[in-house]
Amino acid sequence: MRITREFDVHQVTFLPRLFPVNVYLIEEEQGLTLIDTGMPFSLKGILETAASLGKPITTIILTHAHADHVGALDGLKDALPDAEVCISSRDAKLLTGDTSLLPHEPQTPVRGSVPKGIRTQPDRLLEDGDQIGSLVAIASPGHTPGHMAFMDTRSRVLIVGDAYQVRGGLAVSGRVRPLFPFPALATWNREAALASGKRLAELEPSVLAVGHGRMLRQPAAAMRAAVADAQQRLQPAGGQR
């Protein structure tokens, strides 16, 4: 396990050398907000890191409902029954294992490890622009239909889940990086992911914090380059591949 800090954001990385899976603890005045819960074995490390910071976890936010982001959710809710669990209203459906698409959505199949048997029900369903403590929710569909990113309004650290990846090379979700292809292979719709990647790049964050890979300082130019690369790769396909 590896712990890295930027401003009030603590990145906790499990399996950092083999298959890095990140969760984030954001310090608020009275407590901690946890973004994503990693794999089931992440439970102990999350609780120990929170204890070392001397504040309780009061809120649990999920960027999206893939198994490597919600794996320790039930264990955390059992340990922290008063913690508020938040997820986008769209991916709340995916959290139940329901992969069906809404009529207005691109009818490309949902990919990736959709969880089965999650007991925890969200306490709050999020929409674009909602405020959760110091964080603002930013709809970023593409990797999943209801994927969300979150910006810390104090420092402009942007936690993007799998809307971008850094492991194997910076890329927008859906753009395969051969050294770490898994986020791309688990992406629902590349056109939507590209649009979300562009929106997030335009926010010009101070730090980019992803689901897989290290945090990246002053990432705006690199994010724009990743968007241009994804756009170039997508154009010859003439649509979803």
Side-chain angles (χ1 to χ4, degrees):
M1 189 174 79
R2 182 182 67 219
I3 301 173
T4 309
R5 179 176 183 173
E6 294 285 354
F7 300 99
D8 296 301
V9 177
H10 301 260
Q11 181 193 67
V12 185
T13 305
F14 299 92
L15 304 177
R17 294 183 180 179
L18 179 64
F19 187 98
V21 175
N22 299 325
V23 306
Y24 292 89
L25 286 164
I26 292 87
E27 290 197 57
E28 299 281 2
E29 189 172 338
Q30 300 298 326
L32 299 168
T33 295
L34 173 68
I35 297 183
D36 288 337
T37 70
M39 306 290 279
F41 59 76
S42 305
L43 174 63
K44 181 180 178 182
I46 291 171
L47 293 175
E48 288 180 348
T49 304
S52 74
L53 296 174
K55 293 180 179 181
I57 297 174
T58 58
T59 307
I60 300 170
I61 302 175
L62 304 172
T63 60
H64 63 292
H66 274 161
D68 57 331
H69 292 257
V70 306
L73 177 60
D74 284 344
L76 284 164
K77 189 62 173 176
D78 290 342
L80 308 166
D82 295 330
E84 181 182 46
V85 176
C86 310
I87 191 171
S88 73
S89 58
R90 177 60 184 88
D91 261 27
K93 180 179 177 181
L94 203 60
L95 189 63
T96 69
D98 184 352
T99 60
S100 62
L101 295 162
L102 302 179
H104 68 277
E105 292 174 338
Q107 298 298 299
T108 49
V110 172
R111 297 181 172 89
S113 52
V114 176
K116 295 181 180 179
I118 295 289
R119 294 181 282 105
T120 302
Q121 296 184 1
D123 302 295
R124 181 179 176 186
L125 301 182
L126 301 176
E127 302 293 345
D128 187 45
D130 282 353
Q131 193 89 17
I132 314 98
S134 298
L135 302 171
V136 60
I138 304 160
S140 50
H143 189 69
T144 64
H147 191 287
M148 276 193 156
F150 299 89
M151 176 171 273
D152 189 325
T153 56
R154 300 166 296 184
S155 61
R156 298 191 65 78
V157 175
L158 183 62
I159 301 103
V160 300
D162 286 348
Y164 278 85
Q165 72 177 73
V166 172
R167 180 76 167 183
L170 182 64
V172 172
S173 183
R175 171 72 168 95
V176 174
R177 291 297 191 205
L179 293 179
F180 197 76
F182 311 106
L185 298 176
T187 294
W188 160 62
N189 186 273
R190 292 196 299 160
E191 287 87 352
L194 175 58
S196 292
K198 182 177 180 181
R199 181 188 185 194
L200 294 172
E202 290 171 349
L203 296 174
E204 299 200 348
S206 64
V207 176
L208 178 67
V210 299
H212 306 281
R214 292 181 178 272
M215 291 190 281
L216 182 63
R217 295 177 181 174
Q218 301 302 321
M223 292 171 73
R224 288 193 293 269
V227 167
D229 172 69
Q231 192 165 24
Q232 184 179 29
R233 290 280 177 168
L234 190 60
Q235 281 175 345
Q240 182 73 21
R241 290 189 296 180

